[in-house]
Amino acid sequence: MSVLNQTPQFTAEELITFAHQHYAINIIDHKTLPSERDQNLLIETASQKRYVLKVANGSEKTAILEAQNELLNHVATAEVGCPIIIPNKNGAEITTL
């Protein structure tokens, strides 16, 4: 089966509930972002912080997601304005839905 046939299909409400439960984020606004293989939601909090919640494609190997996070964490140390990984309430960088 093609990876593109396995793109996540959660509702915005489901993702908002997930973000609140696992990241303690109170969302006041959101916008769906385009993606070829994942599902992304731009969220804004009451404190006007903005985050992108990425739901990886179910066929993506965990090792690939970990490598993506390692790369973002490494680039963030150079302070070049890239996205940073926000761990969940348990300190994990990847949370399973």
Side-chain angles (χ1 to χ4, degrees):
M1 180 180 291
S2 168
V3 69
L4 299 179
N5 292 335
Q6 298 179 47
T7 302
Q9 298 293 319
F10 293 98
T11 66
E13 291 76 23
E14 289 173 319
L15 295 178
I16 289 168
T17 298
F18 173 82
H20 180 71
Q21 290 174 342
H22 295 277
Y23 295 88
I25 297 173
N26 292 315
I27 299 167
I28 62 166
D29 198 12
H30 68 278
K31 176 184 177 184
T32 301
L33 299 175
S35 178
E36 176 188 43
R37 60 191 299 139
D38 301 317
Q39 185 176 7
N40 299 303
L41 189 69
L42 175 63
I43 54 181
E44 185 175 342
T45 67
S47 61
Q48 298 181 340
K49 290 186 178 182
R50 294 171 61 193
Y51 302 97
V52 173
L53 178 64
K54 172 185 174 176
V55 180
N57 191 297
S59 66
E60 199 71 73
K61 294 186 182 332
T62 302
I64 297 296
L65 300 174
E66 290 169 344
Q68 290 174 354
N69 285 354
E70 286 179 26
L71 178 62
L72 283 172
N73 286 331
H74 176 74
V75 174
T77 63
E79 299 180 15
V80 294
C82 75
I84 61 170
I85 305 298
I86 306 296
N88 66 21
K89 291 194 261 185
N90 297 323
E93 292 183 347
I94 296 174
T95 307
T96 303
L97 287 173

